[in-house]
Amino acid sequence: MAATNRTVVSAAQALDEPCLLCTSVTATTVPDCLVEIVKAAQAGVDIVELRLDYLSAKDVVNVPQLVQACAENKVLCIATYRPKWEGGRYEGDEEFRLEMLLKAAQAGASYIDLEYKLGPQAIQEFKSKCSESQIIVSDHDYDKTPPTSELEALAESMKEYGADVVKIATTATCIKDAFRMLQLARDKSSTGQRTIALAMGEEGLPSRLLAPKYGAFLTFGALAAGSESAPGQPSLADMTQVYRLKAQKEDTRVYGVIGDPIKHSMSPVIHNAAFQELGVDAVYLPFKVTDIDDFMQTFVEYRLSGCSITIPHKEQVARFCGVVDEVAGKIGAINTIVSSGTDKGDDEGVLQASNTDWVAAIAAIENKLGGEGSLSGKQVCILGSGGTARALAFGAIERGAKVTLANRTLSKAETLATELGCVAKSLGDLESDKGLTGSVLINTTSVGMSPNIDAAPVSEDVVSRFSLVFDAIYNPLKTKLLQMAEKNDKMIVSGVEMFIGQAAEQFHQFTGLQPPVELMRQKVMERL
Ligand code: NAP
């Protein structure tokens, strides 16, 4: 991949202030706001944003009480009275709005948020009346993330308007948008300008979760899932417990999983717990990626250390990698990338690609069957001919097994079997061909996956002809197919072993350390 011209601002140049953890209080009554302030303090936030536009005009006059509650709970506060014209809820006149903000300042609010669109005169006039508070000048783009040159000009202009803190919130349409915002935060804070630079939306998540690494002034989290004040906000619990924002430093290495959809991936929970357990200074994020070119360019430009790859990108990433593991190359699917580069300097490093799916599945089967090498010479029947079947068939052949592929659509099995030099059958053939027996039956179809837990891809008669049954599905843990096998006294291996195994091997590749497999298993089981 071509080298980039981006200037990497060193950590030492950034402001020597920890990034504050903030949550927005969006209750619609004063008593409920007071409850939320207490909850926010208990959740470990440093600063609370009082969203006065969620209150009625009758309630908002009590803003001094809310400011005081923040002080009593030892959290800083921002008073924000967001008008409808800037994406907020307030629809009244400007005079009352600014009067309430002044009231908040006089009550001791640490920061007052004023919209950039108010213009320099109104902002400076307000500032001259309130020496008690610092001014955050903010701007929101609910459609896009403008070009970096425009964002830089906007930040400069905000400063000229009198901003003590610059806040720019945009909308990310790709992962690069999130990293451009992080870079803006780093560049501005390196000049002494406190900066909040956030990209809203799921693609923007890195801008929230990596804010400490990039020297941002603060980052927002939601008090609870469902109480987000902007799209894409993670929960405070995840920010502190899963992503450990308070422990993040400029050198913290960044890993992640790319896919679409990615929201429900268990990988961040597993890998972050493993990093924490072994004291590895690294964080692992979910990246919602639709455009693989954009992501891979971002990966290199922003010196990410490695990533896991899931649907639909496994077949697309090899072309970006300098070294592709031989079996992964033959399979044509990659689920792991590790960069040999570091977070600093001009060396972008070499991207090394591999596939830990097959390694994990084959290891789980061989462990049960009698140890490493036990698949050699064995008859293996694989149900399905999709991506997982392809990886496992290559893996089994690599270990010396004799493979038969059986698929609902015979032509797909035939195409794959021709490539691999093995036998193809239809699922129907399998039912009628009583002579087809073997050691291992592997299911890679989605039949039996939750919610269709009463379905199985083949009959109990077929199951009874094998010694060991492996199901790639891990939800439910014990599929109908595995239940049938158990009933017939066959050995069984759940897909969860493959899932844990592929993550463990990835962790090893990421860190060079022995993975804490039992902890990783525990984290998966908690989520299933
Ligand atoms: P894929 O490429 O879409 O392949 C799906 C396969 O299932 C195809 O062979 C398809 O047959 C077959 N199939 C689908 N519906 C069927 C039905 N009603 N009856 C019979 N066959 C049917 O999917 P994949 O990526 O290989 O994933 C397959 C399974 O593996 C999923 O359940 C996934 O959760 C699991 N998996 C588990 C792990 C793990 O870590 N444990 C990792 C990856 C995948 P046709 O060709 O006839 O359409």
Side-chain angles (χ1 to χ4, degrees):
M1 181 166 291
T4 58
N5 295 322
R6 187 176 59 82
T7 316
V8 180
V9 175
S10 126
Q13 292 169 265
L15 275 180
D16 191 19
E17 282 182 337
C19 175
L20 302 176
L21 190 54
C22 182
T23 196
S24 297
V25 164
T26 55
T28 54
T29 67
V30 171
D32 287 350
C33 284
L34 294 172
V35 171
E36 284 195 6
I37 291 167
V38 173
K39 280 189 190 164
Q42 286 168 347
V45 303
D46 305 296
I47 186 164
V48 155
E49 180 189 43
L50 301 171
R51 283 294 300 265
L52 304 180
D53 50 310
Y54 280 66
L55 293 171
S56 67
K58 180 172 66 66
D59 278 345
V60 83
V61 293
N62 296 314
V63 63
Q65 198 186 339
L66 301 180
V67 172
Q68 198 184 338
C70 290
E72 283 163 7
N73 284 280
K74 299 189 171 41
V75 288
L76 300 170
C77 84
I78 303 169
T80 300
Y81 204 179
R82 190 77 71 223
K84 204 142 194 180
W85 49 261
E86 186 65 6
R89 293 188 167 191
Y90 179 72
E91 291 185 276
D93 67 55
E94 280 297 283
E95 202 180 325
F96 179 76
R97 190 171 79 88
L98 296 176
E99 193 188 317
M100 291 303 108
L101 286 172
L102 201 54
K103 208 167 172 164
Q106 285 158 354
S110 332
Y111 299 91
I112 303 295
D113 183 309
L114 294 180
E115 296 73 21
Y116 174 72
K117 292 183 186 79
L118 274 175
Q121 202 179 332
I123 290 173
Q124 278 154 17
E125 204 173 297
F126 186 94
K127 200 172 174 178
S128 69
K129 290 187 213 156
C130 94
S131 52
E132 300 89 347
S133 309
Q134 298 216 338
I135 301 297
I136 299 175
V137 176
S138 65
D139 190 68
H140 300 78
D141 188 323
Y142 293 98
D143 296 322
K144 64 185 183 309
T145 300
T148 300
S149 56
E150 281 180 32
L151 296 169
E152 282 171 350
L154 178 60
E156 273 312 297
S157 178
M158 287 174 162
K159 193 174 161 189
E160 282 162 18
Y161 282 18
D164 297 299
V165 179
V166 156
K167 178 185 175 190
I168 302 179
T170 64
T171 299
T173 56
C174 60
I175 295 295
K176 191 164 194 177
D177 285 346
F179 278 87
R180 286 199 294 116
M181 294 304 282
L182 286 165
Q183 191 60 38
L184 181 75
R186 180 175 283 178
D187 290 346
K188 291 296 149 195
S189 65
S190 73
T191 66
Q193 175 61 65
R194 290 166 159 182
T195 303
I196 307 165
L198 296 170
M200 296 178 279
E202 202 181 339
E203 283 92 342
L205 188 62
S207 71
R208 301 180 183 280
L209 294 180
L210 297 176
K213 176 178 165 73
Y214 281 83
F217 176 61
L218 63 74
T219 185
F220 289 90
L223 255 184
S227 71
E228 300 82 7
S229 63
Q233 257 180 26
S235 72
L236 287 172
D238 279 353
M239 288 171 111
T240 52
Q241 290 156 33
V242 178
Y243 300 101
R244 295 171 295 125
L245 261 72
K246 293 281 178 188
Q248 213 178 88
K249 301 190 283 290
E250 194 209 357
D251 287 345
T252 299
R253 299 203 305 270
V254 179
Y255 296 88
V257 55
I258 66 167
D260 182 19
I262 202 64
K263 216 186 265 176
H264 300 294
S265 170
M266 289 190 285
S267 298
V269 170
I270 303 171
H271 283 281
N272 283 313
F275 286 148
Q276 183 172 16
E277 174 79 2
L278 298 191
V280 179
D281 184 13
V283 63
Y284 184 105
L285 271 56
F287 294 115
K288 186 188 175 201
V289 172
T290 43
D291 180 344
I292 191 66
D293 289 81
D294 166 82
F295 176 78
M296 291 309 300
Q297 211 181 48
T298 307
F299 184 104
V300 173
E301 187 173 348
Y302 291 89
R303 312 277 197 270
L304 273 60
S305 296
C307 69
S308 315
I309 296 113
T310 186
I311 294 168
H313 302 303
K314 287 187 180 184
E315 286 81 29
Q316 314 301 325
V317 298
R319 67 191 160 99
F320 299 98
C321 300
V323 179
V324 178
D325 162 270
E326 197 186 328
V327 184
K330 280 193 216 160
I331 294 170
I334 304 297
N335 81 330
T336 312
I337 295 179
V338 182
S339 170
S340 65
T342 64
D343 200 23
K344 295 202 183 71
D346 294 330
D347 178 16
E348 287 171 350
V350 176
L351 302 191
Q352 295 168 355
S354 63
N355 184 314
T356 66
D357 281 338
W358 80 267
V359 183
I362 298 294
I365 292 167
E366 287 198 326
N367 280 348
K368 197 75 171 190
L369 210 54
E372 200 176 327
S374 51
L375 267 176
S376 179
K378 299 281 191 318
Q379 290 285 351
V380 172
C381 179
I382 298 179
L383 309 176
S385 291
T388 308
R390 189 178 168 83
L392 268 61
F394 267 101
I397 290 168
E398 183 78 9
R399 292 297 161 91
K402 293 171 190 135
V403 172
T404 299
L405 290 166
N407 195 39
R408 176 178 61 178
T409 312
L410 178 60
S411 59
K412 282 197 203 162
E414 283 172 341
T415 307
L416 185 55
T418 305
E419 194 183 330
L420 291 168
C422 64
V423 179
K425 297 217 175 268
S426 72
L427 286 179
D429 292 340
L430 207 58
E431 296 294 342
S432 54
D433 185 355
K434 305 278 180 199
L436 185 71
T437 59
S439 302
V440 179
L441 180 68
I442 294 177
N443 175 40
T444 72
T445 75
S446 46
V447 182
M449 192 160 69
S450 180
N452 301 316
I453 57 169
D454 290 328
V458 288
S459 67
E460 196 167 326
D461 176 45
V462 172
V463 173
S464 70
R465 294 182 224 146
F466 293 85
S467 319
L468 183 150
V469 180
F470 168 81
D471 200 332
I473 294 170
Y474 55 84
N475 187 13
L477 283 173
K478 203 178 278 179
T479 58
K480 176 82 178 171
L481 185 77
L482 294 184
Q483 289 173 31
M484 293 190 317
E486 217 173 35
K487 197 175 143 206
N488 283 273
D489 295 326
K490 308 297 177 187
M491 290 180 278
I492 61 168
V493 181
S494 164
V496 79
E497 297 305 324
M498 174 180 173
F499 184 71
I500 295 164
Q502 60 81 30
E505 175 55 26
Q506 281 181 342
F507 185 85
H508 177 65
Q509 291 192 21
F510 290 158
T511 62
L513 301 172
Q514 282 309 314
V517 178
E518 281 318 307
L519 174 75
M520 295 171 100
R521 183 187 306 281
Q522 181 196 325
K523 291 289 164 190
V524 174
M525 294 307 185
E526 279 169 12
R527 297 261 161 167
L528 281 178

